[in-house]
Amino acid sequence: MLFGDVSEELARRVMEALRHVTDIEPPSALVRVSTQSGVDYQCDLAMSLGKRLGEPPREIAAAIASHLDVADLAEPPVVAGPGFLNFTLNSSWLEGRTSALGDEPRLGAAVTPRPRRIAIDYSSPNVAKEMHAGHLRSTVIGDAITRLLRFAGHDVIPHNHLGDWGTPFGMLIEHLLDERPSGPYTIGDLNGFYRAARSKFDTDEDFATRSRERVVLLQSGDEETLSSWRHLVDESTRHFAQVYELLGIGLSSEDVYGESFYNPFLGAVVDELATSGLTEISDGAVCVFPDDFRNREGDPLPLIVRKRDGGYGYAATDLATLRYWTGQRGITDLLYVVGAPQAQHFAMVFAACRAAGWLREEHRAEHIGFGTVLGEDGSAMKTRAGESVRLSDLLTEAIAHAAGVIDGRDDLSPEIREEVARAIGIGAIKYADLSGDRERDYVFSWERMLAKNGNTSVYLQYANARIRSVLAKADQDLTGARVLLGHPAERALALALVRFPEAVGAATAGHLPHKLCTYLYETAVAFSRFYEQCPVLDAKGPGVRDSRLLLAELTSKTLTLGLSLLGISTPARL
């Protein structure tokens, strides 16, 4: 019998065996990949049950082992240490399972039997400003999580929550109406206009007052104000689309749900909150004070829903967003891929929505936080002039650096070199962002991310290209080929290949793409060791050449599929 996620199958069987040992309701068994030599999987359930049962964990583990039925899958389990259950997969099962992967497009990864309807908020740049390096993480992480969730079988709706409303647009539109610059405007022009408007807003009280009044006009539908605003949005979205295309991100104009989209709902948000008794007037503003949120002085923290001048803050928009997706779009899960500093804000929004009944028991809302991209000096990435690094410039530079990696390849046409340089450069940026724990900051280093060795996309892309070259030289039909595991390096590679479903599951369940990156790197390393120790094209013995070619082909399929789930392409030639 073949299984997708081996750890889940072993855990299921451990739980069945446990029913013969005790009647208590135990925690779910967790079977992990083992780092111990000669052991493939390990379970520590017996140690967590020791106190509850009043028995030594080793005795509990031995009792579980005596009832375990794993003969078709693994060798008899071994009780080790203070009460671990150690499992080593049966060689015949491993050969059969690996052989079968060649006929499975998903490489053993199952589709969820309980699909969710998920709205995911990511990227979310501001209108009238060029995208910069600070937008990289939300965009890349959000895209990877979207790909993983869709691969798992969920219905995923991205929404690009553009910053296209509020005070910044009041001051920018007021500046444009004052100066009447000739158009049409480029995104670079809008950047300059915004800086000039911000300077005036900070130093000219009359302009600041008019800007705030312009916000109210914008929110109330004044046609002159809306006409200027539409031009800002149109030019900005053209810029965003160009960046997304270069970066290989799936967001389109259909995924745009800017702050302006929710403007018609803001009044109803305030009314419903007030009817539910959740609002208070504080210094003239309508506020919600979610339970258990306090400042350093112990005073309750407010969410300002409507400001005293009648305008709405971004908290109101976030409340309206959640209310819309759960109430009108039938969403079960809301994911927000936004920087870690916004953790408290989202926790307060979620609390207020639960109190209002917009988030019910069947819903899940989660803030998926992440750290900052740092320059090599350890501070936030800036240009030499101290400004934010434009994302389009960063991507163009990545492709230029990648072209140097393949410089001198006369066997590639100019068109292929350009395609490969883009795959390497964009892949390097994405992988550098995704390969570490997303909650941590990371240092942006061209030298490190474009290295041909180590845990980089370049290493994985080169490994895949080398495998494709070997398979092309063999030019062999592998239909009916079967994996034979006579060498330890063959077994290690086969074991890595059958663990693909576990790696994808871990990356998807925790919204942690780095777990898939780590798996892909370890698989590529396992292939490298296999290739060094086990001749492939010159293999001797019945079926050995076919077996090793099949292992190579499966490795290429695994690297290609795994990297595609991260939004990274795999050129056939490098």
Side-chain angles (χ1 to χ4, degrees), residues 140-342:
V140 169
I141 294 170
D143 182 67
I145 291 172
T146 297
R147 292 170 185 266
L148 286 164
L149 289 169
R150 283 178 171 163
F151 183 71
H154 298 289
D155 180 13
V156 185
I157 305 175
H159 58 111
N160 196 356
H161 192 97
L162 299 186
D164 65 352
W165 213 239
T167 300
F169 300 93
M171 67 184 192
L172 182 54
I173 293 170
E174 195 66 23
H175 172 75
L176 293 174
L177 293 175
D178 280 352
E179 303 297 327
R180 303 283 177 178
S182 58
Y185 316 133
T186 66
I187 190 67
D189 293 331
L190 297 183
N191 246 9
F193 297 153
Y194 181 85
R195 285 195 293 268
R198 169 55 69 181
S199 177
K200 288 165 62 177
F201 186 86
D202 292 340
T203 58
D204 184 339
E205 186 57 40
D206 175 65
F207 178 79
T209 299
R210 288 188 288 118
S211 296
R212 295 186 186 98
E213 292 170 349
R214 184 64 60 180
V215 174
V216 177
L217 289 172
L218 175 64
Q219 293 178 338
S220 61
D222 175 70
E223 190 50 47
E224 180 186 34
T225 305
L226 282 174
S227 178
S228 296
W229 172 80
R230 290 189 192 103
H231 183 80
L232 300 176
V233 173
D234 289 346
E235 176 54 36
S236 298
T237 51
R238 277 194 292 272
H239 164 68
F240 302 152
Q242 292 170 353
V243 174
Y244 294 145
E245 193 280 329
L246 186 58
L247 192 53
I249 298 298
L251 288 171
S252 70
S253 59
E254 295 180 357
D255 303 316
V256 170
Y257 291 85
E259 293 175 348
S260 59
F261 176 83
Y262 303 101
N263 184 59
F265 310 128
L266 299 182
V269 165
V270 176
D271 291 343
E272 288 186 30
L273 291 171
T275 300
S276 300
L278 297 173
T279 59
E280 297 180 31
I281 305 299
S282 177
D283 196 22
V286 178
C287 301
V288 174
F289 292 86
D291 292 341
D292 302 325
F293 290 93
R294 297 184 177 276
N295 61 21
R296 292 179 179 177
E297 288 72 37
D299 299 322
L301 281 174
L303 278 175
I304 301 175
V305 184
R306 187 169 63 206
K307 296 180 283 188
R308 60 182 173 181
D309 64 2
Y312 295 94
Y314 62 86
T317 306
D318 286 337
L319 292 167
T321 299
L322 198 148
R323 173 181 175 271
Y324 166 78
W325 286 99
T326 58
Q328 297 190 35
R329 297 294 295 273
I331 290 298
T332 58
D333 298 56
L334 296 104
L335 307 179
Y336 296 82
V337 186
V338 183
Q342 295 297 313

Side-chain angles (χ1 to χ4, degrees), residues 1-4 6 71-74 89-99 482 495 498:
M1 185 179 289
L2 304 179
F3 311 102
V6 178
D72 61 322
L73 175 60
L89 297 182
N90 186 305
S91 292
S92 61
W93 180 89
L94 189 55
E95 287 177 342
R97 181 67 192 118
T98 314
S99 301
R482 178 176 173 79
L495 185 60
V498 301

Side-chain angles (χ1 to χ4, degrees), residues 255-492:
D255 303 316
V256 170
Y257 291 85
E259 293 175 348
S260 59
F261 176 83
Y262 303 101
N263 184 59
F265 310 128
L266 299 182
V269 165
V270 176
D271 291 343
E272 288 186 30
L273 291 171
T275 300
S276 300
L278 297 173
T279 59
E280 297 180 31
I281 305 299
S282 177
D283 196 22
V286 178
C287 301
V288 174
F289 292 86
D291 292 341
D292 302 325
F293 290 93
R294 297 184 177 276
N295 61 21
R296 292 179 179 177
E297 288 72 37
D299 299 322
L301 281 174
L303 278 175
I304 301 175
V305 184
R306 187 169 63 206
K307 296 180 283 188
R308 60 182 173 181
D309 64 2
Y312 295 94
Y314 62 86
T317 306
D318 286 337
L319 292 167
T321 299
L322 198 148
R323 173 181 175 271
Y324 166 78
W325 286 99
T326 58
Q328 297 190 35
R329 297 294 295 273
I331 290 298
T332 58
D333 298 56
L334 296 104
L335 307 179
Y336 296 82
V337 186
V338 183
Q342 295 297 313
Q344 184 180 69
H345 167 75
F346 281 106
M348 293 175 70
V349 168
F350 298 159
C353 288
R354 289 189 189 94
W358 302 331
L359 262 184
R360 298 181 295 278
E361 187 174 344
E362 67 268 24
H363 296 126
R364 291 201 297 252
E366 181 178 354
H367 168 224
I368 300 173
F370 53 83
T372 303
V373 184
L374 304 177
E376 295 199 58
D377 61 355
S379 59
M381 279 189 73
K382 298 286 183 182
T383 65
R384 290 183 179 179
E387 297 181 348
S388 297
V389 178
R390 296 192 304 179
L391 187 50
S392 57
D393 289 346
L394 192 68
L395 301 180
T396 301
E397 187 177 356
I399 296 172
H401 277 288
V405 174
I406 57 171
D407 192 33
R409 289 290 303 275
D410 295 333
D411 58 321
L412 300 177
S413 69
E415 294 78 14
I416 295 297
R417 280 202 300 271
E418 182 178 343
E419 181 183 325
V420 170
R422 175 170 171 168
I424 291 175
I426 300 302
I429 281 185
K430 287 185 173 182
Y431 196 87
D433 197 296
L434 296 170
S435 57
D437 188 331
R438 60 172 165 76
E439 295 185 359
R440 298 179 181 175
D441 300 342
Y442 80 93
V443 175
F444 192 98
S445 165
W446 290 119
E447 181 179 0
R448 185 183 308 129
M449 68 175 55
L450 288 166
K452 294 181 181 179
N453 295 309
N455 189 13
T456 68
S457 65
V458 184
Y459 174 75
L460 298 178
Q461 288 168 325
Y462 266 93
N464 181 66
R466 180 170 63 170
I467 296 169
R468 300 312 306 173
S469 176
V470 170
L471 293 171
K473 288 179 182 178
D475 190 23
Q476 187 163 330
D477 182 4
L478 296 175
T479 302
R482 178 176 173 79
V483 169
L484 305 174
L485 302 179
H487 191 284
E490 292 173 313
R491 188 184 190 282

Side-chain angles (χ1 to χ4, degrees), residues 46 57-66 76-86:
R58 281 186 62 89
E59 292 183 11
I60 298 172
I64 294 172
S66 68
V78 175
V79 177
F84 290 109
L85 277 172
N86 289 347

